[in-house]
Amino acid sequence: MPTDTTTASVSSSGPWDAKLQQFHGGQEWTQLSNFVEDFSVTTNPFGMPSAAKLAAAHSIEHSHHYPPADQEPAKSSLARFLWPSEFETERDRLILGNGASELIDLVIRMAPAGTWRPGPFYTQYKEYERSARNNNFTMLSPDTSDKANVACLVNPCNPTGDYLELPELKAWISANVLPGGYAIIDESMQPWHSEQFRKHSLISQREYVEELYREQGISVFVMHSWTKLWCCTGLRLGSVVCPTAEHMRAIKKIQVPWSVNTVALAFLNAVVDDAEYLKDTWELTPAWRKATVDQLRELFPEWEFHGREFLSWIWIDTKDASVAERAVELARAAGVPVRSGRPGYNLPTFIRVAVRHPAKVDVLVGALKAI
């Protein structure tokens, strides 16, 4: 049966097959002879942590062996990062994947059939929708009052920058998921919140998750793409915290063996101990983001800037599709590509600009002055 490709209906250049795949940023840098910095992706501006990069490089020496089928010790190391005190009782709910994309697809494949709905925001990361369409769900709009068998919310929302605190998030789940259904909450950008991110995350809410499953049969999955926080998108590294250990085993049953390779596991096992990298991330990302917004707002007072102060990107409404297109062209020509809101999101007046080192921002701002 042919695959429904509605989410990829907007044509795009480069390596994406617009009829079959969901457009994503991060590809243009290979085509630029004058490449300076990639502002089109939401990765950490500090690049790959050096100690973890070295551990990944050293692991190549062992790549003639299969990686561990139980994903250890990297899985336990990530569990200790997520739950410093309770990791031994929590890790059986955790499973790693070849990027969050693999786990998104696996969870939606085993979800109860029927209806699917996105979060309450006007757009969000499209991989959930792509997977739901491929698995023949009936698609509901974000503004419907109907509850769904499967609801997926990206929080903080990429690209819009919207964010729900825990009480709001719990209320949304109750209002939008049918009994016996699945709630998939993507918290990939949550660790940017602050050193206290765990307290603001659903990973801290085991009793709530257990009660929801026990009383209403609603299964809550917390998804993470670790390639953004630790700037390792080429390694493909994600995880999902399941409502119970039984849910985790159900995913493992249909996951292909060794989906996370030796290099990615070595990187993860090392990177969770890099406290200095996270300290810099929490301290400097908000400052660099504010400085970028201030520079762009001074140049373009009519633009609207969206997103919480801790996020690694800025979602910008230029108010004019031709202006947004010109901004994308100028940035690309200067070797500092930004993400257009047109392909994938079908929001042609918007652009997304990553938070980057001030010296790299100067190149982007200099290019945009020609608008």
Side-chain angles (χ1 to χ4, degrees):
M1 179 179 295
T3 301
D4 186 334
T5 58
T6 305
T7 57
S9 60
V10 179
S11 62
S12 57
S13 60
W16 297 103
D17 185 331
K19 294 182 179 179
L20 300 176
Q21 296 176 302
Q22 175 61 52
F23 179 82
H24 195 285
Q27 302 286 305
E28 289 180 290
W29 70 274
T30 60
Q31 305 163 20
L32 302 177
S33 60
N34 63 337
F35 177 71
V36 176
E37 179 61 274
D38 193 353
F39 283 81
S40 74
V41 292
T42 58
T43 50
N44 198 311
F46 296 101
M48 290 182 73
S50 56
K53 184 193 297 186
L54 186 62
H58 285 168
S59 75
I60 292 290
E61 298 180 9
H62 306 292
S63 292
H64 59 296
H65 298 293
Y66 283 102
D70 61 0
Q71 305 175 335
E72 294 291 359
K75 176 179 170 178
S76 288
S77 296
L78 179 61
R80 188 179 292 108
F81 172 78
L82 293 174
W83 305 283
S85 301
E86 303 88 13
F87 78 95
E88 290 183 345
T89 58
E90 298 285 4
R91 64 184 167 194
D92 286 346
R93 298 194 293 132
L94 179 69
I95 189 168
L96 309 181
N98 187 257
S101 295
E102 180 200 19
L103 296 168
I104 290 167
D105 194 62
L106 289 173
V107 172
I108 289 181
R109 270 196 242 168
M110 67 182 211
T115 53
W116 175 91
R117 64 167 298 151
F121 315 123
Y122 57 89
T123 194
Q124 65 179 26
Y125 179 57
K126 291 290 188 177
E127 198 62 22
Y128 294 93
E129 181 179 343
R130 180 203 64 82
S131 183
R133 288 185 183 278
N134 284 347
N135 285 279
N136 301 312
F137 280 83
T138 299
M139 316 301 288
L140 302 180
S141 67
D143 56 357
T144 182
S145 60
D146 294 338
K147 293 187 176 184
N149 299 101
V150 180
C152 300
L153 169 61
V154 180
N155 192 54
C157 182
N158 192 354
T160 70
D162 292 293
Y163 180 64
L164 299 182
E165 296 288 355
L166 279 176
E168 300 170 293
L169 183 55
K170 292 178 180 179
W172 184 87
I173 291 172
S174 296
N176 292 284
V177 184
L178 287 166
Y182 276 22
I184 308 174
I185 310 301
D186 189 320
E187 292 194 350
S188 294
M189 316 310 290
Q190 173 71 26
W192 259 281
H193 183 283
S194 65
E195 188 176 2
Q196 303 301 316
F197 77 90
R198 298 171 185 86
K199 294 182 180 179
H200 296 265
S201 165
L202 270 177
I203 65 170
S204 69
Q205 302 295 304
R206 178 166 184 164
E207 289 185 7
Y208 159 76
V209 170
E210 288 180 341
E211 180 180 350
L212 198 61
Y213 182 62
R214 182 175 62 251
E215 295 185 357
Q216 299 185 45
I218 293 176
S219 301
V220 177
F221 296 83
V222 183
M223 194 75 61
H224 288 99
S225 169
W226 295 111
T227 60
K228 306 300 192 302
L229 180 67
W230 288 311
C231 198
C232 59
T233 53
L235 291 184
R236 312 309 309 134
L237 189 60
S239 68
V240 62
V241 179
C242 302
T244 68
E246 288 72 25
H247 286 82
M248 186 279 290
R249 287 191 285 270
I251 295 174
K252 181 181 285 189
K253 183 177 181 180
I254 61 174
Q255 183 182 41
V256 297
W258 311 296
S259 73
V260 187
N261 63 55
T262 296
V263 177
L265 290 171
F267 178 91
L268 178 60
N269 194 50
V271 79
V272 293
D273 293 325
D274 196 333
E276 192 66 27
Y277 182 89
L278 290 178
K279 181 174 179 290
D280 289 342
T281 297
W282 292 323
E283 288 183 359
L284 292 179
T285 301
W288 288 0
R289 187 183 192 280
K290 182 180 184 303
T292 304
V293 170
D294 289 346
Q295 289 184 71
L296 292 175
R297 181 175 281 133
E298 184 176 357
L299 275 178
F300 309 105
E302 69 278 13
W303 289 9
E304 286 188 0
F305 300 86
H306 301 273
R308 293 289 294 269
E309 69 285 349
F310 60 82
L311 295 176
S312 63
W313 75 92
I314 310 157
W315 182 236
I316 304 170
D317 187 358
T318 69
K319 303 296 185 177
D320 187 319
S322 63
V323 170
E325 185 175 359
R326 179 67 172 149
V328 171
E329 292 172 352
L330 289 168
R332 185 188 299 118
V336 284
V338 300
R339 172 69 190 269
S340 169
R342 184 187 295 275
Y345 297 119
N346 197 28
L347 294 168
T349 69
F350 284 84
I351 59 173
R352 190 185 66 193
V353 176
V355 174
R356 292 293 182 256
H357 190 282
K360 305 295 179 63
V361 175
D362 288 344
V363 178
L364 175 63
V365 171
L368 297 182
K369 287 180 179 179
I371 294 177

